[in-house]
Amino acid sequence: MSLSDLKYERSPQTDPSLHSLPMAGNHRKSPVRTLFDFRHTNLPENLDIKWFPLLSMSVFRGISKVKVVSFLLGLTLTFIIMASYILTWDKKGLLLTPSPYQLSLLVTPTSTAAEEVSSEENLINMKLLVKIIDSKLEYPPRKVPDEKDIVATDSHLFSVIPRHFLPESKSPCWYEEISGKISTDPYKRNLYNLRSKSFKKACDHLRTNFHQHLQHRHGKLFRLRCLPYFYIIGQPKCGTTDLFHRLLMHPELQFNIMKEPHWWTRRRFGYIRFKDGFQENFPVEDYLDLFDLAAQNIQEIRSGNSSEDPRALQLITGEASASTMWDNQAWSHIHGDREETEPPFLVQDFIHTLQPRAKIIMMLRDPGERLYSDYLYFKVINKSAENFHQKVVESVQLLQSCLSERSLRSCVYNTSLANTMPVRLNLGIYIVFLLDWLTVFRREQILVLRLEDYGANIKLTIKKVFDFLSAGPFSKQVAATVTKQEMLNTRRAEDRDLGPMLPATRDLLREFYQPFNHKLARVLDNEAFLWRNS
């Protein structure tokens, strides 16, 4: 059978709303593209396949044995070569993760310049995609699992952390009884101590002062434990690092020792990145150790002249992990045998069950700009505006294939899709994550900020955060330091040299994210979240 026997029907016309990916100028080589079809077993409707027998016995009768043997040897070599490519794909980074969908291959060329002519095969019908998105945007709120089911998934967590905290303390703190022999090094087995240089350094100070902060009551020993009063939950590349360090300057704010412990979303399940596989689970006790410095400061004030010292009552504990808002991928592995296409539990279910009064801070930015910054920060080699455009096109195609078969929430939380997309397109669909957080926390418990406003007026944004946390005023000197400090975790010099994304990429992303931004602005009652002037 010749290749011409396999025919694909194509429309000779092109929709003017189509976005395309630039093609390489050398058209003599056949490019190889990759398309992941999220349908179960159905072949594409426009695929007309004609099947013919490869060989018939009559053919062999007219061919000499030498030719037959040569043909079979060639066929065997071809099979071996193809098998070797298949076996080495995974080593080269192709994510062949288990999925209930069939994956069909489609070919994507590389581009060397934005001006080169694009292929009609690589077009995205944005009108159709926007129509699909609009049809998926309105859906009923998620069903929050029962508290008993939440507790049953991690009984140890709920046995360690009480449901009630010290009533006179603003931060959620409590006294934990120490049973058994006191270790000379209480942090020796802490996995953060073994894996984090920053926490290991802090442990030297904590270890020295640990025993003097213990409380003796009725012949028993107790230590003060604390959880965060507030959480900065995301998003990545939206200024959370800079906000974290500026808030540290307020004398009342007592953060965890290290930024981004990622305990709620990753460490407690034993992973940081799925491609690295699951490792050891970080117990909740290790997470609580991160707040021992804050607990010691609170304990010192409480142990002073008066246990009702107002300074101790106002100390605020906080945590900042940019994965908390969106990362629920671990549930697909823990509950992989269940039929749900959406995660049965979310991070906020556990935080809310333990801390129903917790305060949540979200920092967002133009989702297209966030995606480009994310690409530049996490990609190591071969970065370029053209390469970014190609990866955006591939990711949009993948998400469109998923949306044609599944719900919006299912696609946004889908682990296989997330690990297959070359850029993290789903992280910019803020409205899905916000609505899910609003199913357990009240609107007044969530502060949503924009990086654009933060960059334009840091002083005003910081004041808004302090007011939200009910933090007291601080000196003019501290206020000046907060506003004058240089921005942290900004774009690297070598990444700035690459310039902005291509205009075609910006237009594509703006059109893709527009429906989601419209709903976000409507829910927040703030048109600034349309990002029209970004």
Side-chain angles (χ1 to χ4, degrees):
M1 179 184 70
S2 66
L3 291 177
S4 61
D5 290 329
L6 191 63
K7 298 180 180 179
Y8 292 80
E9 297 177 359
R10 295 196 183 101
S11 173
Q13 297 180 348
T14 303
D15 193 305
S17 67
L18 301 180
H19 285 275
S20 58
L21 177 69
M23 297 279 289
N26 187 355
H27 299 285
R28 289 175 295 178
K29 296 181 179 179
S30 299
V32 179
R33 306 174 57 217
T34 305
L35 166 73
F36 292 85
D37 187 356
F38 277 80
R39 302 183 177 121
H40 286 269
T41 54
N42 297 330
L43 290 170
E45 295 178 359
N46 64 339
L47 184 62
D48 180 19
I49 304 177
K50 297 182 180 180
W51 302 96
F52 295 97
L54 288 174
L55 293 169
S56 64
M57 293 303 298
S58 60
V59 175
F60 283 104
R61 297 190 186 99
I63 302 177
S64 66
K65 291 183 179 180
V66 175
K67 291 183 179 180
V68 171
V69 171
S70 300
F71 172 77
L72 292 175
L73 284 174
L75 191 62
T76 303
L77 286 172
T78 302
F79 175 79
I80 293 172
I81 293 171
M82 291 177 66
S84 67
Y85 273 108
I86 294 172
L87 291 173
T88 57
W89 272 349
D90 186 63
K91 296 180 181 179
K92 295 179 180 179
L94 184 62
L95 294 173
L96 299 178
T97 53
S99 171
Y101 307 103
Q102 280 191 331
L103 304 180
S104 55
L105 293 180
L106 161 50
V107 176
T108 306
T110 54
S111 170
T112 56
E115 299 83 6
E116 292 177 346
V117 181
S118 59
S119 168
E120 290 185 359
E121 295 178 356
N122 208 21
L123 299 173
I124 300 174
N125 189 328
M126 288 304 296
K127 284 185 177 179
L128 175 61
L129 178 55
V130 170
K131 186 177 180 180
I132 293 173
I133 292 173
D134 287 338
S135 68
K136 305 278 184 175
L137 263 176
E138 300 303 326
Y139 55 86
R142 65 180 282 259
K143 184 182 182 300
V144 179
D146 294 334
E147 183 174 312
K148 61 179 179 60
D149 295 327
I150 296 173
V151 174
T153 63
D154 196 340
S155 58
H156 177 69
L157 169 66
F158 290 94
S159 68
V160 172
I161 300 177
R163 297 301 185 88
H164 303 286
F165 308 112
L166 296 175
E168 70 274 12
S169 175
K170 188 172 183 178
S171 295
C173 300
W174 69 98
Y175 281 103
E176 175 186 276
E177 181 182 350
I178 298 178
S179 59
K181 186 178 179 181
I182 302 176
S183 172
T184 55
D185 184 1
Y187 305 103
K188 182 178 181 179
R189 297 182 180 179
N190 185 299
L191 292 176
Y192 283 108
N193 178 37
L194 299 175
R195 303 286 182 267
S196 168
K197 292 182 180 179
S198 61
F199 185 63
K200 186 178 180 64
K201 186 177 181 181
C203 280
D204 295 335
H205 171 75
L206 293 172
R207 192 180 298 110
T208 303
N209 300 316
F210 179 80
H211 292 87
Q212 71 185 55
H213 286 92
L214 298 179
Q215 285 284 306
H216 298 261
R217 294 181 182 178
H218 309 294
K220 297 179 180 180
L221 287 176
F222 297 85
R223 65 188 292 193
L224 189 65
R225 289 291 212 176
C226 296
L227 276 172
Y229 171 75
F230 70 95
Y231 295 85
I232 300 175
I233 64 172
Q235 284 287 59
K237 308 313 299 173
C238 290
T240 58
T241 298
D242 190 79
L243 177 64
F244 171 85
H245 287 282
R246 290 183 197 274
L247 294 181
L248 278 175
M249 299 179 189
H250 195 292
E252 291 182 9
L253 269 59
Q254 303 285 312
F255 273 91
N256 54 300
I257 295 172
M258 57 179 292
K259 183 185 182 288
E260 296 196 298
H262 296 293
W263 187 81
W264 291 100
T265 55
R266 301 174 181 175
R267 291 293 195 184
R268 70 185 178 118
F269 302 111
Y271 92 99
I272 278 293
R273 295 177 298 182
F274 271 112
K275 68 178 183 179
D276 297 332
F278 282 82
Q279 301 167 8
E280 63 262 275
N281 297 56
F282 283 47
V284 63
E285 291 87 350
D286 288 7
Y287 176 65
L288 295 176
D289 284 348
L290 300 179
F291 301 93
D292 272 8
L293 184 59
Q296 287 185 6
N297 291 336
I298 294 173
Q299 181 65 38
E300 285 179 2
I301 299 176
R302 288 178 59 86
S303 301
N305 296 330
S306 171
S307 62
E308 300 300 324
D309 192 318
R311 291 179 298 160
L313 308 185
Q314 295 304 316
L315 290 182
I316 303 171
T317 49
E319 196 249 69
S321 294
S323 64
T324 308
M325 179 174 173
W326 61 273
D327 192 350
N328 289 276
Q329 295 189 57
W331 292 109
S332 65
H333 289 258
I334 296 172
H335 298 279
D337 56 337
R338 298 175 64 146
E339 295 182 356
E340 291 97 335
T341 58
E342 300 172 5
F345 303 97
L346 298 177
V347 172
Q348 51 265 43
D349 298 331
F350 295 87
I351 295 177
H352 179 266
T353 301
L354 291 168
Q355 300 174 254
R357 297 175 183 171
K359 296 205 170 185
I360 309 299
I361 299 175
M362 300 178 179
M363 180 87 93
L364 311 178
R365 72 189 289 190
D366 181 313
E369 295 296 336
R370 192 218 69 80
L371 188 64
Y372 189 47
S373 180
D374 195 76
Y375 162 84
L376 293 176
Y377 185 80
F378 289 104
K379 185 172 174 59
V380 179
I381 59 174
N382 299 326
K383 290 183 284 191
S384 69
E386 293 78 20
N387 179 264
F388 175 65
H389 182 87
Q390 175 186 344
K391 294 185 182 303
V392 168
V393 169
E394 292 174 7
S395 299
V396 171
Q397 288 175 333
L398 288 167
L399 190 61
Q400 181 174 1
S401 297
C402 182
L403 288 173
S404 66
E405 294 294 321
R406 303 175 68 163
S407 70
L408 176 59
R409 287 189 72 250
S410 176
C411 293
V412 168
Y413 287 114
N414 186 278
T415 301
S416 295
L417 176 61
N419 290 332
T420 304
M421 286 193 297
V423 289
R424 301 195 292 181
L425 191 74
N426 56 322
L427 268 61
I429 308 178
Y430 306 135
I431 185 60
V432 171
F433 305 117
L434 174 62
L435 290 176
D436 282 349
W437 279 84
L438 286 172
T439 60
V440 291
F441 288 102
R442 300 189 307 275
R443 177 66 185 89
E444 57 267 25
Q445 289 180 264
I446 301 177
L447 176 65
V448 185
L449 304 170
R450 296 195 327 144
L451 177 61
E452 292 82 2
D453 300 329
Y454 180 71
N457 195 332
I458 291 177
K459 184 178 180 179
L460 181 63
T461 305
I462 291 292
K463 183 181 183 305
K464 187 180 294 186
V465 174
F466 289 156
D467 291 344
F468 174 69
L469 298 176
S470 300
F474 52 96
S475 66
K476 291 183 179 179
Q477 183 180 1
V478 174
T481 305
V482 168
T483 54
K484 289 181 180 179
Q485 177 179 290
E486 292 186 5
M487 294 284 280
L488 298 175
N489 204 25
T490 56
R491 188 167 296 176
R492 295 175 291 239
E494 59 270 26
D495 291 337
R496 289 196 297 268
D497 292 341
L498 295 175
M501 71 179 86
L502 299 176
T505 318
R506 179 173 285 105
D507 291 343
L508 191 160
L509 289 171
R510 184 167 295 167
E511 195 167 357
F512 170 78
Y513 282 121
Q514 188 177 43
F516 305 117
N517 293 342
H518 271 283
K519 186 168 184 179
L520 178 67
R522 188 168 71 251
V523 170
L524 296 175
D525 193 23
N526 187 345
E527 290 192 355
F529 288 93
L530 293 172
W531 283 285
R532 285 173 174 160
N533 300 321
S534 297

